[in-house]
Amino acid sequence: MKVAFVLKGYPRLSETFIAQEIAALERRGIDITIVSLRRPTDARRHPVHDEIRAPVIYLPEYLLLEPLRVLKAWWKTRSTENYSTAFSLWLRDLRRDPTPSRVRRFGQALVLAAELPAGFEQLHAHFLHTPASVARYAATLLGLPWTASAHAKDIWTTPEWEKREKLASCAWLVTCTGANRDHLSALAPEGRVELLHHGIDAARFPGTPVLRPARDGSREPVVILGVARLVEKKGVDLLLDALSRLPEELNWKLVQVGSGPLRKKLQAQADRLNLSRRIEWRGSLDQPALLSEYRKADLFVLASRITANGDRDGIPNVLAEAQSQALACVATRVSAIPELVAEGTGVLVEPEDAAALSRAIASLARDPARRAVMGRSAQGAVFRRFRLEPNADRLAAKFRQARDAHRLLRSA
């Protein structure tokens, strides 16, 4: 079975869950070609990227940079039997969303439809916004079914009209949290949306015992780990505020992993709060280096929030990774995070409450025994509910069912 996976960018350090899924599906016999709307921008790669066999087709990131390629694609597809249907679909979307991005999506879909080799039976988009638009237009041009995986920002920042129409058009959609499933199911035909967690790859994040020193902040500093893109919804500014409120006698340090547009602003905030000497800014790390940080840390903190435009986390993969290494976690009660971090496996506080976040950090920092019990409980729970392999089995089965249904329809 040949499936084209439409991604916003590939490879990306922040989208390990997609790479792990592709590798797992390849192990199950799914023949994947990756279609990327953007070229890579990360300097590093995860080891899993080197294990993936799928070839990559890079579409024009901006149509004006490859005008002859786009014109050639339009000339090839304009006389096909499905062109007028696809063009009408795009034109209706453009009237409601008259933006350069909407124009670019149709141009990318033309190139995808023109250049995709023969033999593909399905298109699959990761993310319900831009990649799903390109997949939908291209699938219409090619007369193929399309499916999608929806995650976080792509759900909560996409207009309702667009979500309804994409959900009516796709063959099926999977999403990674119960909160996402409930929201999308209310907009979709019955049975169209299914919950499917990303899953922890036990080969990369083994659930072996982790022996940590019993640091309580009285002498040796308690190591607090944060892993997040440095963007608004991750709440790193709130974490810094909370750390500035910790008791003076508590000895701690923060290791902050991740890069992003707010790095300079956050470092300036740390300077103003006189925290810089306690913080190590690590930038982006690959999986082996990140695993080492999880194992060396005493406490994991993520202060997610909902932004003004509705953007929010789903179940952050870094929280599940931290729990897989028996690391006690403090997080905010946002979106689907309570589906992962529950009583006994972590501590939840209300979003935007720096004082409550600070109290939770201080309480766990002073209590290594409680952290150890909480970490072991979280590790057991995450491997019971969020393992990669069973979820990959279910996803591979859905692809095969869609293939069989499409072949039956073509033979009728």
Side-chain angles (χ1 to χ4, degrees):
M1 180 184 183
K2 298 182 71 173
V3 181
F5 267 52
V6 182
L7 312 181
K8 195 165 186 179
Y10 179 86
R12 281 183 165 180
L13 283 175
S14 63
E15 294 176 359
T16 317
F17 60 96
I18 296 177
Q20 289 179 167
E21 177 184 292
I22 291 172
L25 289 174
E26 286 187 331
R27 293 194 295 270
R28 286 157 176 79
I30 307 296
D31 185 354
I32 294 173
T33 290
I34 296 168
V35 179
S36 179
L37 309 187
R38 294 180 179 175
R39 291 189 174 272
T41 56
D42 296 321
R44 299 179 181 178
R45 295 164 60 95
H46 292 300
V48 67
H49 290 128
D50 296 323
E51 297 169 13
I52 290 172
R53 302 185 303 273
V56 184
I57 298 172
Y58 287 102
L59 300 181
E61 186 169 345
Y62 296 100
L63 305 185
L64 292 177
L65 297 180
E66 297 185 72
L68 293 179
R69 187 180 178 194
V70 177
L71 182 61
K72 182 180 178 181
W74 172 77
W75 188 262
K76 181 177 179 179
T77 58
R78 70 185 182 91
S79 58
T80 60
E81 60 178 330
N82 297 318
Y83 178 81
S84 60
T85 302
F87 182 79
S88 298
L89 171 64
W90 168 72
L91 197 60
R92 187 168 67 248
D93 290 348
L94 183 64
R95 292 191 184 104
R96 292 172 291 187
D97 177 33
T99 61
S101 176
R102 184 67 62 175
V103 175
R104 183 164 62 248
R105 294 172 201 175
F106 190 66
Q108 290 174 320
L110 292 173
V111 174
L112 172 54
E115 297 184 3
L116 191 68
F120 282 83
E121 298 183 275
Q122 186 174 338
L123 273 61
H124 183 77
H126 259 289
F127 296 108
L128 192 54
H129 51 2
T130 306
S133 293
V134 174
R136 184 187 181 199
Y137 299 145
T140 303
L141 287 163
L142 293 167
L144 294 176
W146 72 280
T147 54
S149 297
H151 303 288
K153 180 179 180 179
D154 55 311
I155 297 172
W156 302 105
T157 61
T158 299
E160 183 174 313
W161 66 263
E162 188 169 359
K163 284 184 281 195
R164 284 187 183 276
E165 293 186 10
K166 286 177 175 175
L167 288 164
S169 169
C170 68
W172 49 260
L173 178 141
V174 293
T175 190
C176 51
T177 76
N180 291 350
R181 176 201 55 202
D182 294 346
H183 172 74
L184 293 173
S185 293
L187 305 174
E190 186 175 356
R192 187 65 49 91
V193 178
E194 183 176 337
L195 171 63
L196 191 69
H197 296 301
H198 294 151
I200 289 292
D201 186 349
R204 303 178 198 284
F205 293 94
T208 52
V210 181
L211 299 177
R212 293 185 169 90
R215 291 184 280 241
D216 63 3
S218 58
R219 294 183 179 178
E220 192 177 357
V222 172
V223 180
I224 301 167
L225 177 63
V227 182
R229 288 183 296 116
L230 303 183
V231 295
E232 183 185 5
K233 74 175 178 180
K234 298 297 184 179
V236 179
D237 58 319
L238 184 74
L239 172 58
L240 295 178
D241 189 358
L243 293 174
S244 73
R245 299 166 184 251
L246 291 175
E248 291 185 7
E249 68 274 12
L250 184 66
N251 196 4
W252 59 269
K253 77 170 184 177
L254 171 68
V255 176
Q256 182 62 51
V257 175
S259 57
L262 297 183
R263 176 163 182 159
K264 290 184 178 179
K265 183 177 180 180
L266 291 167
Q267 289 177 325
Q269 179 186 358
D271 288 340
R272 291 195 305 273
L273 295 173
N274 197 29
L275 301 178
S276 295
R277 62 185 177 85
R278 296 175 178 259
I279 300 176
E280 297 178 12
W281 301 90
R282 291 289 173 83
S284 299
L285 298 180
D286 61 20
Q287 281 183 319
L290 185 54
L291 175 63
S292 176
E293 296 299 339
Y294 287 134
R295 288 177 166 265
K296 289 187 293 187
D298 299 304
L299 180 61
F300 185 89
V301 184
L302 184 65
S304 302
R305 58 157 62 95
I306 299 175
T307 65
N309 69 349
D311 189 13
R312 69 199 73 179
D313 278 323
I315 296 178
N317 295 289
V318 293
L319 272 174
E321 291 170 358
Q323 289 190 332
S324 78
Q325 301 311 300
L327 186 56
C329 297
V330 178
T332 46
R333 196 173 280 104
V334 166
S335 187
I337 290 175
E339 296 177 31
L340 178 70
V341 181
E343 184 68 30
T345 66
V347 175
L348 291 175
V349 301
E350 294 302 317
E352 307 296 349
D353 192 340
L357 184 63
S358 184
R359 289 192 297 270
I361 293 171
S363 176
L364 282 174
R366 288 171 166 152
D367 195 341
R370 184 183 172 208
R371 293 198 308 266
V373 171
M374 185 176 290
R376 288 194 297 269
S377 176
Q379 185 180 53
V382 80
F383 279 113
R384 282 193 302 272
R385 297 180 55 213
F386 293 90
R387 286 176 53 241
L388 171 66
E389 297 302 321
N391 292 335
D393 288 339
R394 288 174 57 198
L395 188 58
K398 290 187 73 67
F399 279 114
R400 294 190 181 102
Q401 289 165 5
R403 171 202 63 193
D404 294 343
H406 180 58
R407 288 180 181 177
L408 183 63
L409 183 64
R410 284 191 305 179
S411 64

